[in-house]
Amino acid sequence: MKKLLALILVLVLVSSVSVVAVTAEEYEISDDFLNAVRAEYDDNEITKDDIYLEYMYDLGNDISLVKYGVFDYAYPDDMVVIGLGSYIIETSRPIPQIYFYNKLFSLEDAYDYNIISERELEKMTTLHGIYVKKTKVTLDLRNAKYAYKDEDYINVKFTLVGSEKDFFDFYEYGVVSAAQAGELLRAYYDDLHSKFLNEVLKDVDYIDRVHNDGISVVAIKKKDIEKISQSDMVVLMDYMSNAHMRYIDTYEPGFSNYSYREKRSVYNEKSELEYILINAYSNTDATAEVGFRIGDVVMYSANIHSFFVYQYGLYDVKEDKIYDLFDLRNNPEKYYKLEENLIDYCGGIPLGDSNGDKKLTVLDATVIQRIVASLQTPDYPYYYASHKGNESGYISDIDCDGEITVLDATNIQRKLAGLS
């Protein structure tokens, strides 16, 4: 949240939103929206005439839901189903996006970054061209059920009536101290959890896993999911994967104090699930432009976090163990195509990428040659330094000798030619 608020503050100071829907049929494509589309497609040749808008709805607070396409690009003719919190979204392609302060966000990212919330999703249920439905059973849990038999236990995260209470419902200045309010809140959460077990789950088999911050994680049998969802006390039921449960066991975060998303499940050459890449981080952090090298990939972060220092980690399926990605920096070869997947799904930057396009090409060798010849000043974040203070380097220094030289350009050309 801190990172997002800082980003918003900067954007507010330097820009303003200039694309607003008058109605669902009347639009004006501004230069800012054009630039956002160009950035999304990584194509500066796109013009306003290349963009067609199916709809753009104002959701309030300078947030717009927009569905657009680019004429030169083909889109699959299928329906997409997206789960966000207590809502399920069905839409044809191109997939709608959120336009916020001159940037485009996927619906998932906008929800994770708290740009949109349940309020905006509720408003989307009234809009034409997109089907949005409120549900008690999340899409993830619906999909997960197919892998289980009726008698199998599934870890389910329950949001309950009363889960919304927080510290300020108990704190009263001059009457109830902060320490007393904290104790009252914890006691309230414990009572809520006990009530849930004793009333809602009294007639079913269950395994009590963990609860805090008003959220309860309990393993129940697949056959009982529908029955339990009918309880008036249950607001939302979400799936908790083995990886997510191991993350909780490892770091013991409060459910209101972290963000978690599984980015990629990776199968090895034997078609066995080997590991899962995870983006997760605490909501409290320290601002710091840091980065580290793992194999031939550099990972950057604008913040240092409590669990997963650089926001990324890995769940080793065979070991049933969670690793912070930073702790794997010296042996990335342990995992099948780890570096490739970090680039494709986790924002990793290939070592040698000198022009910032997230790819290693002959253009990077050209940039290095121009830098060495003093014909170009690097305008891309080409330097990285870890939070440890003694691990640093240059993106362009592909041979890792501590300097950017013509040999780095040569090594890029050799690597592209399969010679090194």
Side-chain angles (χ1 to χ4, degrees):
M1 176 62 75
K2 179 180 177 182
K3 177 181 177 182
L4 175 62
L5 291 175
L7 171 63
I8 293 173
L9 179 59
V10 172
L11 291 172
V12 168
L13 292 174
V14 301
S15 61
S16 60
V17 176
S18 53
V19 175
V20 178
V22 179
T23 70
E25 293 79 26
E26 298 177 16
Y27 315 100
E28 178 182 351
I29 298 177
S30 72
D31 292 338
D32 289 326
F33 186 73
L34 172 62
N35 289 333
V37 173
R38 286 175 171 176
E40 185 71 14
Y41 282 76
D42 192 22
D43 185 351
N44 288 326
E45 300 301 317
I46 295 175
T47 68
K48 293 181 182 180
D49 291 336
D50 295 326
I51 301 171
Y52 61 92
L53 285 167
E54 293 190 27
Y55 57 71
M56 181 179 286
Y57 295 110
D58 182 5
L59 300 179
N61 297 321
D62 294 326
I63 303 168
S64 295
L65 175 71
V66 57
K67 183 174 184 178
Y68 73 94
V70 179
F71 284 114
D72 288 341
Y73 290 83
Y75 304 95
D77 185 20
D78 64 342
M79 295 296 293
V80 178
V81 182
I82 300 170
L84 298 179
S86 58
Y87 290 84
I88 293 177
I89 300 169
E90 295 182 33
T91 175
S92 61
R93 297 180 189 269
I95 300 173
Q97 293 180 281
I98 294 297
Y99 183 61
F100 181 65
Y101 284 106
N102 301 333
K103 292 190 66 176
L104 287 160
F105 298 85
S106 70
L107 292 171
E108 296 93 335
D109 283 345
Y111 187 79
D112 285 348
Y113 296 153
N114 295 311
I115 296 172
I116 59 173
S117 63
E118 301 288 301
R119 186 189 73 84
E120 285 75 27
L121 290 169
E122 175 63 28
K123 189 171 184 178
M124 286 165 59
T125 62
T126 66
L127 303 179
H128 297 289
I130 185 171
Y131 176 74
V132 183
K133 179 182 178 181
K134 191 173 179 65
T135 180
K136 275 192 177 183
V137 181
T138 67
L139 182 63
D140 284 345
L141 182 53
R142 290 170 188 252
N143 291 337
K145 289 195 301 180
Y146 293 111
Y148 293 84
K149 298 177 181 179
D150 282 348
E151 295 296 324
D152 290 342
Y153 284 96
I154 303 178
N155 291 313
V156 178
K157 181 172 74 171
F158 290 90
T159 303
L160 308 169
V161 173
S163 293
E164 73 281 358
K165 284 189 178 295
D166 60 23
F167 172 85
F168 293 101
D169 289 306
F170 298 89
Y171 175 73
E172 186 176 354
Y173 181 76
V175 178
V176 180
S177 70
Q180 291 172 324
E183 291 177 2
L184 290 171
L185 179 60
R186 285 188 291 272
Y188 167 79
Y189 286 151
D190 288 341
D191 288 343
L192 182 66
H193 179 68
S194 296
K195 181 181 179 182
F196 170 61
L197 297 181
N198 295 329
E199 296 183 12
V200 179
L201 302 184
K202 64 179 179 178
D203 296 325
V204 302
D205 295 326
Y206 67 85
I207 303 171
D208 190 6
R209 297 295 194 193
V210 62
H211 74 277
N212 62 62
D213 291 351
I215 302 297
S216 298
V217 177
V218 181
I220 59 174
K221 291 183 177 180
K222 172 187 173 179
K223 67 178 183 179
D224 294 320
I225 289 177
E226 185 62 30
K227 173 185 175 181
I228 295 170
S229 71
Q230 303 305 313
S231 169
D232 291 338
M233 187 177 180
V234 175
V235 174
L236 187 66
M237 299 169 62
D238 196 8
Y239 176 61
M240 297 293 284
S241 68
N242 289 337
H244 198 165
M245 288 303 300
R246 183 57 64 210
Y247 177 85
I248 292 172
D249 292 341
T250 302
Y251 296 108
E252 299 182 348
F255 283 109
S256 63
N257 192 42
Y258 76 99
S259 298
Y260 178 96
R261 185 198 288 188
E262 294 176 12
K263 300 292 289 186
R264 183 69 171 176
S265 296
V266 181
Y267 293 80
N268 60 26
E269 293 172 311
K270 298 179 182 179
S271 298
E272 301 168 332
L273 179 59
E274 183 174 323
Y275 64 92
I276 299 172
L277 287 172
I278 302 168
N279 173 237
Y281 50 91
S282 58
N283 292 341
T284 55
D285 53 57
T287 301
E289 292 291 340
V290 288
F292 71 98
R293 182 168 68 88
I294 175 169
D296 286 339
V297 177
V298 173
M299 300 295 295
Y300 276 108
S301 178
N303 304 81
I304 297 173
H305 296 273
S306 298
F307 9 96
F308 289 177
V309 179
Y310 291 79
Q311 303 183 33
Y312 285 97
L314 177 151
Y315 172 63
D316 186 311
V317 175
K318 186 176 181 179
E319 295 181 8
D320 188 24
K321 185 175 181 180
I322 289 285
Y323 287 97
D324 190 313
L325 187 63
F326 183 77
D327 295 331
L328 299 175
R329 64 193 184 282
N330 294 323
N331 59 337
E333 67 283 349
K334 177 180 178 181
Y335 296 101
Y336 180 69
K337 293 187 176 181
L338 176 58
E339 295 174 43
E340 178 182 318
N341 284 297
L342 289 176
I343 293 170
D344 291 342
Y345 301 100
C346 301
I349 301 171
L351 195 65
D353 175 25
S354 303
N355 63 355
D357 64 358
K358 302 294 182 71
K359 295 177 285 189
L360 194 64
T361 68
V362 68
L363 294 177
D364 296 309
T366 301
V367 169
I368 290 174
Q369 290 169 336
R370 290 180 59 82
I371 291 173
V372 172
S374 299
L375 298 175
Q376 181 172 334
T377 301
D379 56 0
Y380 171 68
Y382 65 101
Y383 183 78
Y384 63 90
S386 81
H387 67 293
K388 292 291 187 179
N390 58 348
E391 300 178 23
S392 61
Y394 299 94
I395 288 285
S396 299
D397 181 19
I398 195 170
D399 61 9
C400 299
D401 66 353
E403 298 180 289
I404 302 175
T405 69
V406 70
L407 291 177
D408 293 305
T410 301
N411 280 320
I412 288 175
Q413 293 166 336
R414 288 178 59 82
K415 187 170 185 177
L416 293 172
L419 300 175
S420 63

